[in-house]
Amino acid sequence: MVMLIMVVKAFKLKFIPALSLSLLFASFFVHNASAASVSLSITCDKSTFSSVNTDQSTCSVQAASSASVSYINAAISTNGLSVVSISGASGITSTSDSSHLIVSVPNKTGSFEVATIVVKSTKAGENNTIQLINPVATISGESPTSISNSNTASIYTKSNETKLSALSVSNGNIDPGFNPDVTAYNVQNTSSNQITINATAKSNKASISGNGTKSLSCGQNNFPIKVTAENGNTKTYTVGVYRNCNTDNSLKSVQLSTGSISFKPSTTTYYISVGNEVSKFTITGALNNQKSTIKYSPSQTINLAVGKNTQKINVTSESGVTRTYTFYITRAGDAGKSSNANLSSLTSTSGSINFNKDVYDYKITVPYETKNVSVTAVAEDQKATVSISELPELKVGDNLVSIIVTAENGANQTYKLTISRQEENAAKLDNDSSLVGLVINDQYIDIDSSQTSFDITIDNVIEKVNVVAMPSKVTSKAEVISSGDTIGDKDTVQIIVTAEDGSTTTYILNFSFPYETATIQVEETKPINYLFIIIVAVISLGLIGLFVYLYIVNKNKKKPIQNPTNTQQNPGRWYNK
């Protein structure tokens, strides 16, 4: 019995500490098993901004808790973003500022929204962030406790950089020197036909258009260089390049397949005669400046018809100005056969034609009521044949009639008549296309209405000839036309007079020089408005006559007399009668 009691006592002394320790651990695990689980997260409705300080994003703060939450506090940290406003969620009171989130929660559990934070960007071209730091929550009946969270949200703001960091050209230098804030530049006096523009954007996220290799036309060239930022903003730089171009549009020499000429670069009209056996003619021009271009019309080699043939060389300078050299090649006809392909007359049933066999283009105007016109052409040589193109009913406007005269030996010449039909109810216009006179180097030449060709002889060597054409009507206009910039012996000048209604008459001036080397420059002078001169003269004479009349009347009203009663008191005094 005693032994049993001693064993029991010994067992009790050992078991009590162990039991107490077990109860302590059990109590700890029970307590922690009942602790609340709380977390926070933040998400934003936009992940990308296009503009700094303009675009905004609304970020929602969400809480999740297994126990009743009454209070949440967290610091707000931003990078490249600024807080615009903070507000508590529905039913939740916020006392927050831009750097702290402080909300009072009415003992909520589960998942719920805590607050809304609106942010905007302050930095472009970066991933900007908003973060909740060291969040703390208060569980009902317990002390504040730290909570876990997914507390960072990112918003990327696109770059708005539109400037260049470098700008240069391959030929020459830009003026002024490059400055990212200066948008207009010039490159002066380059002779190259192309240039390369090199441009580098300040931001590697920007794109550039308009740079690269450019073709240069003569004169001023302007090239826009457009920089487009990542967010779509643009900035345009302009590079102006002035290209110096060759203006020489002359030939150095001319080679003919048959015959020869005394060529001068300044003389643009030449006459060449070849025998009947020459059926082809080739002309080759050598450029005075290799940057110019040469074009043959109709071609470099032509088939010669019997009689007059025309071949032209058009020389265009690099600057775009063209000079035309004209060669008249006359091929002889068969021996014993006539080469006369001229008309002796050209008439129409409506409209007057001032015909000259050496003039090949005519124009007449007919009223709207005239729908049909008959044209009659008579060859100067009875052995020649005449062909007139078919003339259907006239349309309103210009109608072309071609008259081809073929000589006995096959030579041919084409005359052209343009018949202009007026519109319905058109006002009647004057059709007088004649000249009243000509002045050649201050020498007046009277005009016979039936004469349209004049021989002009220059007796001495002179540098220029002034041609003044005087239309009969002030409503007409005269145009002086020469075959080139200069003319020489046997050259002709045409004067085309156009009446108010469009009808024309062509006058021919045949120049003759005593020296083969003499050349003259033809200058066109506008006709004098004689009606205006007459009106001014009449008005002037009228005013002069009026002044003379007033002077005589005033003089007759006054004369010096002496007082008959007292000549000593008022000698020589003026009295009105």
Side-chain angles (χ1 to χ4, degrees), residues 52 285 292 306 334 468 573:
V52 175
S292 301
V306 173
D334 292 341
V468 180
R573 192 169 182 180

Side-chain angles (χ1 to χ4, degrees), residues 38-60:
V38 183
S39 65
L40 285 181
S41 63
I42 182 169
T43 57
C44 300
D45 63 352
K46 290 183 180 179
S47 60
T48 304
F49 282 165
S50 294
S51 300
V52 175
N53 295 320
T54 302
D55 290 358
Q56 294 184 353
S57 180
T58 300
C59 301
S60 175

Side-chain angles (χ1 to χ4, degrees), residues 28-38 65-68 139 142 145:
F28 174 79
F29 284 118
V30 170
H31 174 77
N32 282 278
S34 64
S37 174
V38 183
S65 176
S66 60
S68 182
I139 307 300
E142 299 184 14
T145 181

